[in-house]
Amino acid sequence: MAKTARALKKSRPEEGDRISSLPDGVFSDIISLLPTEEGVRTQVLSSRWRHLWRSAPLNLDLHHYCRFAKHLLEASDILRILSTHPGPGRRCSIPTSDSALWLPLLKQLSLLNVTISESSLRSLLDGCPVLESLLLAENTCPCIQIMSGTLKSICSLVLEGPCYKS
Amino acid sequence: MAAPESGDGNNGAARMVTLISSDNTRFEVEAAAASLSQTLQLTILDGGGGGGDGIPLPNVDSATLSKVLEYCIKHAPAAANGGAPNATAVDRAELERFDNEFVNIDQSVLYSLIMAAHNLEIEGLQSLVAKKVADMIKGKSPMEIRRTLGFPDPTPEEQAEMNAHMLEYGWAYE
């Protein structure tokens, strides 16, 4: 830089709730970096923040809850989180071994750019009894056989590597 | 490769552009550094900002712009190498050290930076400042966060809402 202006003496802007004047997109970035439970807690910060967690990319990692928490997290809590988030999701890590995720009304599921094990995918699909449309794209998943009486369409956009059979 | 003052790949002398802050201070900076801003990139590619002209930035004051450019100049060489996939561990550690120190600033400066990074669409800086605020929030109770961020004390109605939320999402308040 040829010329660096001397930083003007910083005039102290009024302190206080200055962060609330920032645009929503900024908060989405911030909230999606927080652990799940801390993201949830930002909803009570102010009326401005109430909807932000729900619209921010979802960072859902609930593994330690099911084992250690006093308030046992129930499947209905997870469903509420998923159903109140229009998306997108940054991360979704849910223990499914003890209590499988049950999505009785879900008809359409898209997994884009997701790393998922065969057993998790199978368990997820088992919990979707009326699933009609499944989109799998750019996922890291081993070969899997999908059995379903309701699926009408499976779209798999994988160029190489994993394969899907229906 | 990540030498601080290396050129921008233009044969020989690096191309310079001028940016003009809201308080009319002119900053001359390498085009490669200013181009970390998605907002400015097209203008610069079109040949703007050179010569006697400058690119006016009516939303960014000189103190903030000076700070933003400090970031851009430091990160431009790595960005020019496509995120520096071949950067040595030493280069990366140096950028990390710079970043940590860079956001060690008081909150009013941080908020100005967040605003500028957002307006100028400087991706790396946006992530860096978002992470800083996330770190300020992490591990705190809602009341502590309110104080940290400078919110006024909650009204009785807000307090009642907070209590209701804590009941509804009990698992998140362990």
Side-chain angles (χ1 to χ4, degrees):
Chain A
M1 187 157 55
K3 183 167 64 179
T4 309
R6 282 290 79 178
L8 298 181
K9 198 146 191 91
K10 248 210 106 45
S11 57
R12 195 62 182 191
E14 54 292 6
E15 282 302 333
D17 186 7
R18 206 181 144 211
I19 195 169
S20 289
S21 64
L22 300 173
D24 279 5
V26 167
F27 294 115
S28 292
D29 289 347
I30 295 167
I31 290 171
S32 67
L33 290 170
L34 295 172
T36 308
E37 65 278 12
E38 300 203 19
V40 170
R41 299 201 293 251
T42 61
Q43 291 178 99
V44 299
L45 289 178
S46 74
S47 51
R48 168 78 193 286
W49 284 66
R50 193 143 306 134
H51 73 280
L52 289 170
W53 175 65
R54 291 178 193 187
S55 55
L58 182 60
N59 174 15
L60 190 63
D61 181 357
L62 299 170
H63 267 279
H64 56 295
Y65 274 101
C66 299
R67 245 174 281 157
F68 305 118
K70 264 189 288 168
H71 282 88
L72 204 64
L73 186 70
E74 297 185 3
S76 61
D77 292 316
I78 299 176
L79 288 184
R80 184 168 48 185
I81 293 171
L82 290 175
S83 63
T84 52
H85 268 84
R90 187 185 288 265
R91 179 170 197 216
C92 185
S93 180
I94 306 169
T96 52
S97 50
D98 329 328
S99 56
L101 198 57
W102 182 243
L103 304 164
L105 301 176
L106 189 71
K107 292 193 171 171
Q108 201 178 334
L109 175 66
S110 302
L111 297 175
L112 312 175
N113 199 9
V114 166
T115 303
I116 188 168
S117 70
E118 182 182 347
S119 62
S120 296
L121 180 57
R122 192 178 300 284
S123 157
L124 177 62
L125 293 175
D126 285 347
C128 304
V130 298
L131 192 67
E132 292 180 356
S133 159
L134 175 64
L135 171 66
L136 302 162
E138 295 172 45
N139 297 317
T140 309
C141 173
C143 188
I144 180 173
Q145 188 161 17
I146 296 168
M147 309 280 272
S148 162
T150 57
L151 263 181
K152 292 176 185 163
S153 91
I154 297 182
C155 184
S156 166
L157 305 174
V158 181
L159 298 179
E160 54 187 30
C163 60
Y164 300 92
K165 295 176 193 160
S166 68
Chain B
M1 164 191 340
E5 295 301 334
S6 69
D8 64 356
N10 282 357
N11 16 307
R15 184 184 150 204
M16 306 299 283
V17 294
T18 302
L19 308 178
I20 307 170
S21 68
S22 61
D23 44 356
N24 267 324
T25 306
R26 298 173 74 85
F27 291 80
E28 203 184 354
V29 61
E30 284 185 10
S35 293
L36 291 198
S37 156
Q38 295 289 319
T39 314
L40 296 177
Q41 202 174 58
L42 273 184
T43 311
I44 292 171
L45 276 177
D46 281 350
D53 299 336
I55 304 174
L57 302 173
N59 295 324
V60 190
D61 65 42
S62 59
T64 308
L65 185 54
S66 164
K67 188 90 180 142
V68 167
L69 291 180
E70 186 189 336
Y71 175 90
C72 291
I73 289 166
K74 187 73 183 180
H75 279 264
N81 285 325
N86 304 319
T88 64
V90 175
D91 292 335
R92 274 198 291 268
E94 163 58 16
L95 274 186
E96 202 179 314
R97 185 205 58 77
F98 170 87
D99 283 353
N100 287 337
E101 210 163 282
F102 185 78
V103 288
N104 192 11
I105 46 183
D106 65 44
Q107 276 184 38
S108 61
V109 183
L110 179 65
Y111 295 155
S112 302
L113 259 185
I114 292 174
M115 217 43 217
H118 183 78
N119 288 332
L120 293 170
E121 292 178 74
I122 303 169
E123 209 181 311
L125 185 55
Q126 284 176 289
S127 305
L128 179 62
V129 289
K131 186 174 172 299
K132 170 71 179 182
V133 179
D135 287 344
M136 285 160 54
I137 291 177
K138 267 183 199 165
K140 292 194 168 79
S141 72
M143 278 306 281
E144 288 168 334
I145 296 172
R146 287 182 70 107
R147 279 186 213 114
T148 303
L149 299 183
F151 290 12
D153 283 341
T155 61
E157 292 78 31
E158 282 179 316
Q159 187 61 56
E161 270 185 51
M162 284 169 83
N163 294 343
H165 185 275
M166 289 166 82
L167 277 180
E168 188 184 354
Y169 288 93
W171 58 269
Y173 290 91
E174 284 295 320

